[in-house]
Amino acid sequence: MKSVKLNLGCGLDYKEGFVNIDAVAAVNPDLLHDLHQPLPFADNSVSEIVAQDILEHFTKEDSQKVIAEISRVLKKNGILKIRVPNVDDIVERFANDPETRNEFLYGTTLHTGIFGAHKVGYSKEYLIT
């Protein structure tokens, strides 16, 4: 049986060997899907999930639903890779460059419309709670 791996919110980061999923048709994902909806995969059917730079684009409540959905489809002992912008690091690193700081904090809607806006800020502590 072939191993199923998902790249959620792939954008232009297309990963070979993964089902690349995005809600924006213009990035030509393998699966056009809005993560506000349940993933179209069976329980415990996915061996690896990459969720890079997506959780900040959901409200806190919706991000919890996305994580619950990831948990539902991910096999026991499956691999989950999450990356989110670290608000503490951004504020410190770009303290003297407010334009760049604000784009990192709030995202940009220039390329992907509403999907580009950040709705939640994560710190290391906030992500693991």
Side-chain angles (χ1 to χ4, degrees), residues 2 11-12 25 33 35 42 45 50-53 60-62 67 75 86 89 95 97 99 116 121 123 129:
K2 185 179 177 192
L12 297 174
H33 182 76
L35 293 173
S45 64
V50 174
Q52 292 184 157
D53 303 316
K60 179 180 178 183
E61 296 78 15
D62 284 343
I67 291 169
K75 291 180 179 180
N86 181 328
D89 181 60
D97 184 355
E99 186 175 330
S123 64
T129 58

Side-chain angles (χ1 to χ4, degrees), residues 97-113:
D97 184 355
E99 186 175 330
T100 301
R101 178 199 62 218
N102 289 347
E103 186 168 328
F104 273 105
L105 289 174
Y106 301 109
T108 178
T109 57
L110 182 64
H111 302 290
T112 57

Side-chain angles (χ1 to χ4, degrees), residues 19-95:
V19 178
N20 294 279
I21 300 172
D22 206 289
V24 178
V27 300
N28 297 315
D30 300 320
L31 176 62
L32 185 63
H33 182 76
D34 183 344
L35 293 173
H36 287 95
Q37 304 302 316
L39 287 164
F41 297 91
D43 295 0
N44 306 306
S45 64
V46 177
S47 60
E48 184 174 348
I49 297 177
V50 174
Q52 292 184 157
D53 303 316
I54 65 162
L55 293 178
E56 66 274 12
H57 297 279
F58 295 90
T59 64
K60 179 180 178 183
E61 296 78 15
D62 284 343
S63 68
Q64 291 169 341
K65 292 175 186 175
V66 171
I67 291 169
E69 198 50 19
I70 287 170
S71 180
R72 180 186 69 78
V73 301
L74 192 62
K75 291 180 179 180
K76 183 178 179 182
N77 298 318
I79 298 169
L80 172 59
K81 298 177 182 175
I82 294 176
R83 180 177 74 193
V84 292
N86 181 328
V87 172
D88 295 335
D89 181 60
I90 292 167
V91 169
E92 183 178 314
R93 187 182 306 182
F94 299 107

